[in-house]
């Protein structure tokens, strides 16, 4: 099974993919490294940008050669690619903010990522781009190891669902407004 782990930066993709790699014995590929290999990254002064079309055409070739693997990255949800399972990691916006602050992200980047998480950005894109199973996993208050064990249990067939995540109530409490204006 080819498993994509995606989600907003800071949700724990890299750590959880490594843990899941240990549990399954499957290779773990990092989409950021594949983007470099594909020469799809343009390094600029402020921020580097990725040519998503170039990345995904190369990624498709890499994935076609493997039956079992784990690949991870926030760009994973941006376009279709060969996968049998997509896991979208979710983290409560306040915890996500703390993780990014600890990591030294700029305020602007933190706000942008918190907003993406609040609006289910990755999950909605995954739904648009993938026809395989798409699961959400809430990492809030859970260790990367516990999260990986949950995904492993799903792969094994010992559980048949993960989480259903929505920060709508939190957003409503914070802003006093419903996100869809209802
Ligand atoms: P991503 O690859 O999604 O950006 P990382 O795996 O690199 O996320 O983790 C981002 C940061 O959040 C790291 O500093 C890591 O230590 C922390 N972190 C990741 N998962 C958890 C977790 N479940 N609980 C607490 N902190 C976590
Ligand atoms: Mn990462």
């Amino acid at each position: 099974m080819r498993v994509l782990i995606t989600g907003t930066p800071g949700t724990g993709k890299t750590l959880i993919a490594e843990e899941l790699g240990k549990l399954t014995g499957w290779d773990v590929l990092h989409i950021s490294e594949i983007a470099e290999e594909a020469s799809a990254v343009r390094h600029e002064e402020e921020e580097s940008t990725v040519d998503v079309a170039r990345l995904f055409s190369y990624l498709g070739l890499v994935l076609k050669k493997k039956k079992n693997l784990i690949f991870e990255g926030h760009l994973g949800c941006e376009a279709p690619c060969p996968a049998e399972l997509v896991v979208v990691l979710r983290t409560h916006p306040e915890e996500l903010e703390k993780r990014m602050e600890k990591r030294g992200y700029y305020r602007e980047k933190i706000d942008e990522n918190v907003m993406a998480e609040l609006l289910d950005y990755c999950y909605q894109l995954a739904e648009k781009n993938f026809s395989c199973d798409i699961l959400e996993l809430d990492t809030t208050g859970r260790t990367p190891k516990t999260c990986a064990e949950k995904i492993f249990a799903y792969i094994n067939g010992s559980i048949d669902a993960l989480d259903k995540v929505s920060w709508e109530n939190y957003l409503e409490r914070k802003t006093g407004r419903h996100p869809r204006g209802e």
Side-chain angles (χ1 to χ4, degrees):
M1 182 188 270
R2 290 167 295 193
V3 183
L4 166 63
I5 298 184
T6 188
T8 310
T11 50
K13 299 177 294 291
T14 304
L15 290 173
I16 291 168
E18 294 294 347
E19 290 289 343
L20 188 59
K22 283 187 228 159
L23 292 170
T24 54
W26 300 344
D27 285 348
V28 178
L29 301 184
H30 306 284
I31 295 173
S32 56
E33 288 173 11
I34 293 172
E36 293 286 354
E37 245 179 76
S39 304
V41 188
R42 205 173 43 222
H43 295 277
E44 278 156 5
E45 248 174 64
E46 288 276 306
E47 200 172 50
S48 42
T49 51
V50 175
D51 179 339
V52 172
R54 192 182 177 100
L55 163 62
F56 274 78
S57 69
Y58 185 85
L59 179 61
L61 299 176
V62 173
L63 294 174
K64 277 195 186 111
K65 288 187 224 147
K66 298 242 186 194
K67 214 169 126 242
N68 290 316
L69 89 158
I70 295 145
F71 62 114
E72 65 88 15
H74 69 275
L75 292 177
C77 60
E78 293 284 341
C81 66
E84 284 70 46
L85 177 65
V86 176
V87 182
V88 182
L89 300 181
R90 307 299 307 267
T91 305
H92 190 282
E94 286 177 358
E95 180 164 328
L96 192 66
E97 186 170 3
K98 280 189 204 130
R99 287 189 199 171
M100 285 188 285
E101 280 169 355
K102 230 172 157 181
R103 248 184 166 185
Y105 278 38
Y106 292 111
R107 193 71 243 166
E108 205 175 48
K109 203 74 210 162
I110 293 176
D111 290 346
E112 187 184 311
N113 287 331
V114 164
M115 188 60 77
E117 181 61 20
L118 276 169
L119 299 178
D120 311 324
Y121 177 83
C122 270
Y123 183 72
Q124 291 199 19
L125 269 183
E127 284 222 298
K128 176 173 152 250
N129 289 324
F130 292 87
S131 51
C132 63
D133 283 349
I134 303 165
L135 305 174
E136 289 180 286
L137 177 62
D138 189 355
T139 73
T140 316
R142 288 176 175 157
T143 65
K145 188 156 178 281
T146 304
C147 293
E149 282 164 358
K150 284 195 169 281
I151 301 169
F152 189 51
Y154 182 87
I155 293 171
N156 272 340
S158 48
I159 56 171
D160 58 13
L162 292 179
D163 300 316
K164 188 78 206 91
V165 177
S166 167
W167 311 124
E168 231 172 67
N169 290 339
Y170 167 76
L171 192 62
E172 212 174 340
R173 262 186 283 119
K174 279 282 270 194
T175 62
R177 289 172 61 182
H178 193 280
R180 281 189 288 274
E182 287 158 11

